[in-house]
């Protein structure tokens, strides 16, 4: 049985499937490339906490 993909990997795969680079996604969401890379690298501890973190995830997920 195959393990389900973690959310970070799912976001990266969705971005790649849309043909977007990290820079293009950053520009579209008004986030930094570093933020996108942290999210896709499952390093959410590097992101702001609380409502800000949720807003980042929503913005990225909505775009991809």
């Amino acid at each position: 049985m195959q393990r389900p993909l973690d959310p970070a990997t799912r976001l990266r795969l969705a971005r790649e499937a849309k043909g977007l680079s990290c820079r293009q996604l950053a520009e579209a969401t008004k986030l930094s490339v570093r933020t996108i890379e942290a999210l896709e690298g499952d390093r959410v501890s590097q992101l702001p906490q609380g409502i800000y973190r949720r807003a980042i995830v929503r913005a990225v997920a909505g775009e991809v």
Side-chain angles (χ1 to χ4, degrees):
M1 188 156 123
Q2 190 176 10
R3 255 182 56 204
L5 297 174
D6 61 277
T9 302
R10 290 176 63 196
L11 285 173
R12 180 181 53 78
L13 292 174
R15 175 184 57 77
E16 291 172 349
K18 261 190 113 173
L20 295 172
S21 68
C22 282
R23 176 164 302 288
Q24 290 170 317
L25 182 57
E27 289 172 3
T29 58
K30 306 293 188 248
L31 298 168
S32 69
V33 172
R34 199 168 121 202
T35 298
I36 302 296
E37 290 172 346
L39 186 59
E40 289 184 357
D42 203 20
R43 297 184 309 273
V44 292
S45 62
Q46 295 178 355
L47 303 175
Q49 294 184 3
I51 193 168
Y52 301 106
R53 188 176 293 172
R54 240 178 316 191
I56 290 168
V57 173
R58 281 186 183 160
V60 171
E63 194 63 37
V64 297

